[in-house]
Amino acid sequence: MPPAFAALTDALVYSIPIVIAVATLEGLVLTFVARRPYDWRSYAASLADFLTREFGVRRFLAFSLAVPAIGWAWQHRLTTVPLNGALAFALLFVGQEFCYYWFHRTSHRVRWFWATHAVHHSPNEFTLAAAYRFGLTGALSGTSLFYVPLIWLGFPPVAVFATLSLNLLYQFWLHTDWIPKLGWLEYVLNTPSHHRVHHASNPHYLDANYGGVLIVFDRLFGTLVVEQNDMPCRYGLVKPLLTNNPFEIAFHEWLAMARDVWQAKSWRHRLAFVFGPPGWRPDGDGLVARAVR
């Protein structure tokens, strides 16, 4: 592993207590200084999700559906990209951002991936603590498959996933409703304003702003929606999840999908319940994003 990525990996490990401390500080300031309502039970549920994932699932259930594909892609890579210059790092960053955009967009359009991603959208208020509520089933659902093309092109897997981790760390500060729009940066970067729209369940805001660090791919592929001053964001799922039980939060959509598959009348409907859009129903009355709009 290049020394730069070894140092980055170490830094990301040490970032865990920092992001927890900053999220806690935000809650304290909002509660005791700004005198705003703050859902500490939701905060605790997000923290439980984070700690269980980082120190339980990743250490004792390391299996990932994507591992065979990652190994095959690296073994049969087209070339080996030497990460020894600014151009190589820039290509890795943009390539990872492109793959992240399509992972994120697919996670909203395909229920199999939404079953995990719905956990991140389940908080009904938008705080820094919501940033690290990701669920426990990402590896089992195969989300890393979206980065296999980068590895096949010749970027080392460790470098790809370290860059992805840095992407997610950047997004931590985006989960706030108190940072205003940031002027010209809104045209290039993913900002708190853009990410508020992404987490909103208002019909006008659904399924938008999938970028990680950059917002340029949303502009390019037509998924950018700008926050409106006269349309406050309503956070949470279209059908709000009211529980703060970490295990209900982690598995509620998987259980709902399993129930739909079990009750389906045909194999075509079963496949649609798994790989169709979230909310799909055979009679067309489901709460898919297009129908909600």
Side-chain angles (χ1 to χ4, degrees):
M1 182 181 0
F5 284 101
L8 175 58
T9 301
D10 292 339
L12 290 170
V13 171
Y14 291 120
S15 72
I16 292 176
I18 295 174
V19 298
I20 293 174
V22 173
T24 305
L25 178 61
E26 181 200 42
L28 293 171
V29 171
L30 292 177
T31 300
F32 297 108
V33 179
R35 301 292 181 179
R36 282 179 41 178
Y38 187 87
D39 191 342
W40 285 100
R41 291 184 178 181
S42 180
Y43 163 92
S46 296
L47 183 60
D49 173 89
F50 187 28
L51 296 178
T52 302
R53 182 178 65 254
E54 294 297 323
F55 299 105
V57 173
R58 288 188 175 177
R59 295 194 178 192
F60 301 108
L61 296 173
F63 172 79
S64 171
L65 191 65
V67 165
I70 292 170
W72 183 93
W74 182 241
Q75 183 178 359
H76 297 88
R77 62 191 181 276
L78 297 180
T79 185
T80 300
V81 179
L83 296 174
N84 55 7
L87 179 59
F89 283 101
L91 289 174
L92 174 59
F93 167 72
V94 174
Q96 180 275 143
E97 188 72 20
F98 179 79
C99 292
Y100 178 83
Y101 171 88
W102 286 107
F103 147 73
H104 205 178
R105 184 168 177 172
T106 304
S107 293
H108 281 254
R109 306 294 179 87
V110 176
R111 194 179 185 188
W112 172 263
F113 295 109
W114 173 249
T116 294
H117 193 59
V119 174
H120 185 58
H121 284 261
S122 62
N124 296 309
E125 62 179 27
F126 199 52
T127 66
L128 292 175
Y132 44 69
R133 185 189 290 194
F134 285 127
L136 310 178
T137 57
L140 293 176
S141 62
T143 55
S144 296
L145 290 169
F146 289 87
Y147 305 95
V148 167
L150 277 179
I151 297 167
W152 180 64
L153 289 173
F155 291 99
V158 170
V160 171
F161 292 110
T163 306
L164 173 61
S165 296
L166 196 61
N167 180 327
L168 297 175
L169 183 60
Y170 168 87
Q171 292 185 56
F172 171 69
W173 75 285
L174 303 181
H175 294 76
T176 60
D177 62 2
W178 46 268
I179 296 179
K181 292 185 179 181
L182 301 177
W184 65 269
L185 292 176
E186 303 286 335
Y187 292 96
V188 181
L189 297 178
N190 192 11
T191 65
S193 177
H194 290 318
H195 210 57
R196 286 193 287 269
V197 168
H198 177 73
H199 273 262
S201 58
N202 313 53
H204 177 72
Y205 290 150
L206 285 178
D207 288 357
N209 302 358
Y210 299 114
V213 175
L214 304 176
I215 205 67
V216 293
F217 290 117
D218 287 283
R219 293 185 181 277
L220 181 63
F221 296 116
T223 53
L224 176 68
V225 175
V226 177
E227 185 179 19
Q228 304 296 317
N229 293 331
D230 60 348
M231 190 182 298
C233 294
R234 181 176 67 252
Y235 302 112
L237 302 173
V238 172
K239 182 180 179 181
L241 188 66
L242 302 179
T243 183
N244 287 309
N245 182 312
F247 291 99
E248 286 186 52
I249 293 171
F251 299 109
H252 76 277
E253 183 60 23
W254 288 105
L255 293 173
M257 183 170 65
R259 183 170 58 250
D260 288 338
V261 169
W262 179 261
Q263 295 174 351
K265 303 301 182 182
S266 69
W267 279 104
R268 184 174 68 85
H269 289 168
R270 292 187 182 98
L271 290 173
F273 275 127
V274 175
F275 298 109
W280 179 87
R281 288 291 180 272
D283 57 9
D285 289 336
L287 290 175
V288 297
R290 186 176 300 175
V292 171
R293 291 196 192 97

